[in-house]
Amino acid sequence: MKFLDEAKVFIKSGDGGDGVIAFRRERFIEFGGPDGGNGGRGGHVYAEAVDGLNTLIDYRYAQHFKARKGGNGAGSDRTGAGADDVIMKVPVGTQILDEDRETLIADLDEPGKRFMLAQGGDGGFGNANFKSSTNRAPRRADKGWPGEEKWVWLRLKLIADAGLVGLPNAGKSTLLAASSAARPKIADYPFTTLHPQLGVVRLNATEEFVLADIPGLIEGASEGAGLGTRFLGHVERCRVLLHLIDGSQGDPAGAYRMIRNELAEYGGGLDEKPEIVVLNKVDAMTPQGKASRVKALEKACGTKVMLAAGATGEGVPAVLRAIMDRVRAK
């Protein structure tokens, strides 16, 4: 299924049903009287977060959601039927924004969470509602109230416990494949990953967490270079960041500082999240090169650097255990 994390949709709630003008026609009731019923309520439009979805691709092809009008009233004081509601099923983590793409309407960050996007119109009154001591035969009935209509944006921010960040070809997809059942595309050229990937990492029968692989960042990503920062929203909800550095490159400390700068430029508190720094591809380094790179990287980040090789599995269990401990500590 193709990944889509943003979509624009049109929603319209149902109009209320019309009230009616009617009078009693029973044979043995001398003066009769008004008995026109009220109209029914128009349908509401809801958005609901459900498990089992991780893309908004359904809203690429179905962009209009309209609820039905309420039923009209009838004689004998019969109220029109209320219209069925329209419920838009969206992935957990979906934000609903106004047409300006900035005003947040709702944040559906829990399964089963539901929000009314457009309220259905109330039904109009029938003439029985206007009967009074001075007006025994009113000939007035109201139209139903119109529903609401608007355009909204759906923006998905994946819910994951830990997020993988780093330069292209840092080995993020390889690490994800080595630690979970996810099978992302892996190749020896940059930007192999074009959209976020999720994998469930199970350490044992009782411990597991969700790991998100985010497409690689390059210098200037905050200004739109490469794939830009479009996908960084998916790690805003992560509890911890796993910062992967390619150990086979010449300047791992420079790569670390560059990614940290792009996170700070993006905002959203990403540069303040707890992080685990991992020097990857240690199987491609000599012992002397490994020692010098670890020393330079630890000086740049000010914390202990872990070592791993996603291709061979070396150091991966220790990295996963460190992530699990951080996730539990939050």
Side-chain angles (χ1 to χ4, degrees):
M1 181 181 293
K2 186 175 180 180
F3 181 83
L4 185 72
D5 63 350
E6 201 169 66
K8 186 180 183 181
V9 297
F10 175 80
I11 58 174
K12 185 184 186 308
S13 56
D15 299 336
D18 300 334
V20 299
I21 298 173
F23 294 90
R24 300 183 69 169
R25 297 282 193 275
E26 289 88 349
R27 180 176 181 182
F28 297 109
I29 297 179
E30 184 178 1
F31 296 105
D35 67 350
N38 301 331
R41 172 187 63 79
H44 303 314
V45 179
Y46 290 94
E48 181 180 357
V50 298
D51 282 325
L53 294 177
N54 59 7
T55 174
L56 295 172
I57 189 65
D58 293 340
Y59 298 96
R60 167 67 62 85
Y61 307 106
Q63 297 177 331
H64 293 77
F65 297 86
K66 300 179 182 179
R68 297 178 68 87
K69 177 184 176 181
N72 295 334
S76 301
D77 285 319
R78 287 176 291 178
T79 300
D84 293 335
D85 298 329
V86 171
I87 301 176
M88 301 165 52
K89 306 285 189 180
V90 297
V92 177
T94 300
Q95 291 183 333
I96 301 174
L97 308 173
D98 205 351
E99 194 171 3
D100 60 8
R101 303 179 72 169
E102 295 181 359
T103 306
L104 181 64
I105 298 175
D107 189 0
L108 306 179
D109 56 355
E110 296 177 4
K113 194 171 183 178
R114 178 183 287 193
F115 185 83
M116 182 189 293
L117 296 175
Q119 183 174 357
D122 292 330
F125 290 134
N127 67 334
N129 195 74
F130 299 103
K131 181 177 66 174
S132 69
S133 59
T134 58
N135 186 5
R136 307 304 297 171
R139 285 173 169 78
R140 171 188 170 185
D142 291 344
K143 292 285 188 181
W145 289 89
E148 302 174 352
E149 61 179 63
K150 55 188 170 184
W151 286 91
V152 297
W153 282 91
L154 307 179
R155 180 180 297 165
L156 174 60
K157 292 184 178 179
L158 294 174
I159 305 266
D161 297 306
L164 277 165
V165 296
L167 286 168
N169 272 10
K172 301 185 296 298
S173 297
T174 302
L175 181 66
L176 181 67
S179 56
S180 72
R183 290 296 172 261
K185 183 177 181 180
I186 299 172
D188 58 353
Y189 54 83
F191 299 113
T192 308
T193 302
L194 297 177
H195 56 78
Q197 299 275 353
L198 287 179
V200 178
V201 179
R202 290 185 174 87
L203 300 185
N204 50 52
T206 60
E207 293 181 308
E208 65 178 36
F209 61 88
V210 179
L211 183 63
D213 173 18
I214 306 301
L217 299 172
I218 63 173
E219 188 172 6
S222 58
E223 299 173 358
L227 294 176
T229 57
R230 175 183 172 186
F231 297 116
L232 280 182
H234 295 291
V235 295
E236 284 186 31
R237 303 180 191 272
C238 293
R239 302 180 186 181
V240 60
L241 297 183
L242 182 62
H243 193 154
L244 218 58
I245 307 294
D246 183 359
S248 63
Q249 65 172 344
D251 185 14
Y256 172 82
R257 284 190 289 265
M258 190 275 290
I259 294 295
R260 291 294 300 179
N261 180 66
E262 298 303 326
L263 295 179
E265 289 290 331
Y266 174 81
L270 292 187
D271 59 328
E272 300 173 2
K273 285 186 176 291
E275 73 170 356
I276 297 172
V277 182
V278 177
L279 187 65
N280 195 26
K281 303 183 182 180
V282 294
D283 55 327
M285 293 184 284
T286 63
Q288 183 179 0
K290 184 191 307 182
S292 62
R293 284 173 171 80
V294 168
K295 183 177 180 180
L297 191 53
E298 288 184 342
K299 183 177 180 181
C301 65
T303 186
K304 183 175 176 58
V305 172
M306 302 190 72
L307 302 176
T312 63
E314 179 185 349
V316 173
V319 171
L320 300 181
R321 169 49 59 187
I323 297 174
M324 188 74 250
D325 292 342
R326 289 289 187 94
V327 169
R328 278 184 162 182
K330 291 294 287 181

